[in-house]
Amino acid sequence: MSILAGSSTPLNRSILPSNQTPLGALPARFRRVRVLIVGCGDVGQRAARLLSPRVGVLALVRDAAAVPALRARGIVPLAGDLDDAASLQRLAGIATHVIHLAPPPAQGEGDARTQALLRALARRSVPVALMYGSTSGVYGDCGGAWIDETRAPNPQTARAHRRVAAEGHVRAFGRAAGPRVGVLRIPGIYAEDRPGGTPRERLLRGTPVLAAADDVFTNHIHADDLARAMVLALWRGKPQRVVHACDDSELKMGDYFDLAAGLYGLPRPPRFSRAQAAERLSPLQLSFMRESRRMHNRRLKHELGLRLRYPTVAAGLTGKAPAARPE
């Protein structure tokens, strides 16, 4: 018997997931669990490694070229395209749990992709649980304030509006069809072994950051910790619950790049005023410099029981995780 982090109730390690083995040692009645990953990119494949071989892992695949690599990882690929609703019919009744990491369309209003997925899942034997990976961008600019999950979304970009729509579709699905659904709001994802997952290339290009007077707070999560959070949420997430999937860092954007430069032995990026940055950066890059917030992660730790392997950006960029603590 042990006490899992964030809980005062003794739990049987052989049944419930632990921080290191999110599925634990599953009893016979759970051995037919099948998890469908929609959007099985870098984070999805990290989640699949945690799940397999304890459960069956399936992934929706649009590009046939991705099939061999997924099979090599023990993932069963299912051909389908979220932009082609007819191709999703085979998903009905196929999974007991779903991780939804696919982004909304790049244009338009709402999220027709999520709607098409949910319609397919509702056709027969709906999943027990569905976890959706959203974005912290749904909050818009918070003026650098600390925020928790009770703060109302205030999307200020078209892509953030589409994410809010997707969250609404997922939560409505839970209320109407009965599965336990949850939303993880995710900030900047990084990892040394993730494509484009570190500031190194940006530092090498000399891309500027904002001067201290104009700088904004940003939030981060290591890709491995995000995958662990998503898997734990499948079993521990409360119905209709929003959880911040972020680490303990409290950094402004410029300080983040200065920190990375020091770790990599590279020059610090130049500091520009907001007006100067507008002349050098793309509208997309500038959009991230207009929003400032600091996110609490209490639910992540206390409800999901996640002990961050990389609690700070410094730990994650160096790969020096703290020594493991007993569960």
Side-chain angles (χ1 to χ4, degrees):
M1 304 291 283
S2 66
I3 304 293
L4 292 179
S7 171
S8 60
T9 305
L11 299 175
N12 189 328
R13 184 184 298 273
S14 68
I15 295 177
L16 290 181
S18 76
N19 206 31
Q20 301 302 319
T21 56
L23 295 180
L26 292 173
R29 65 182 180 277
F30 290 141
R31 289 178 187 160
R32 292 188 179 181
V33 170
R34 298 177 304 280
V35 178
L36 170 66
I37 301 177
V38 180
C40 195
D42 175 67
V43 173
Q45 291 181 41
R46 291 171 194 259
R49 286 198 294 270
L50 297 172
L51 293 161
S52 180
R54 296 178 179 85
V55 304
V57 181
L58 310 97
L60 185 67
V61 181
R62 180 173 60 181
D63 184 359
V67 167
L70 292 175
R71 285 181 173 158
R73 291 174 171 83
I75 302 169
V76 177
L78 301 174
D81 187 340
L82 292 176
D83 294 321
D84 177 8
S87 71
L88 306 178
Q89 293 182 10
R90 68 185 301 181
L91 300 183
I94 203 167
T96 59
H97 297 69
V98 178
I99 294 175
H100 179 15
L101 295 169
Q107 296 179 339
E109 297 180 0
D111 184 2
R113 290 176 176 172
T114 292
Q115 288 180 297
L117 171 66
L118 299 177
R119 282 196 295 267
L121 295 175
R123 290 171 61 90
R124 181 174 67 251
S125 183
V126 298
V128 173
L130 184 152
M131 293 298 138
Y132 176 60
S134 185
T135 171
S136 60
V138 300
Y139 292 115
D141 181 33
C142 302
W146 282 101
I147 62 171
D148 63 19
E149 293 87 346
T150 65
R151 187 175 182 107
N154 182 28
Q156 296 170 9
T157 65
R159 65 180 181 278
H161 276 282
R162 289 190 285 269
R163 288 289 191 172
V164 171
E167 290 185 10
H169 298 323
V170 167
R171 298 176 82 172
F173 176 67
R175 291 190 295 269
R180 177 172 48 82
V181 303
V183 173
L184 269 66
R185 289 182 178 154
I186 304 166
I189 308 169
Y190 74 97
E192 282 284 345
D193 58 348
R194 172 181 169 85
T198 72
R200 189 187 303 272
E201 292 182 5
R202 179 166 167 167
L203 289 169
L204 290 171
R205 291 195 301 267
T207 305
V209 296
L210 291 175
D214 293 326
D215 210 357
V216 296
F217 282 101
T218 59
N219 304 272
H220 307 271
I221 185 72
H222 192 282
D224 284 344
D225 280 333
L226 176 56
R228 293 165 62 229
M230 189 63 69
V231 171
L232 286 171
L234 280 179
W235 273 262
R236 294 181 180 169
K238 295 182 179 181
Q240 299 288 325
R241 200 66 154 169
V242 173
V243 175
H244 287 167
C246 60
D247 66 18
D248 297 335
S249 299
E250 182 184 350
L251 284 173
K252 288 192 172 182
M253 184 179 293
D255 296 335
Y256 168 62
F257 285 100
D258 285 351
L259 170 65
L263 293 174
Y264 298 148
L266 295 173
R268 290 186 172 188
R271 296 268 189 163
F272 285 4
S273 69
R274 190 174 295 277
Q276 291 172 316
E279 299 174 357
R280 293 282 304 271
L281 301 178
S282 70
L284 179 62
Q285 289 174 316
L286 285 171
S287 69
F288 293 110
M289 296 181 172
R290 295 191 184 102
E291 299 182 359
S292 182
R293 53 188 167 264
R294 288 173 283 179
M295 299 165 62
H296 286 297
N297 59 10
R298 289 186 288 260
R299 289 184 181 176
L300 180 74
K301 294 178 177 179
H302 299 163
E303 294 183 6
L304 301 188
L306 180 66
R307 287 176 176 165
L308 291 161
R309 188 166 294 157
Y310 302 103
T312 66
V313 169
L317 290 178
T318 60
K320 295 180 180 178
R325 294 172 293 178
E327 292 297 322

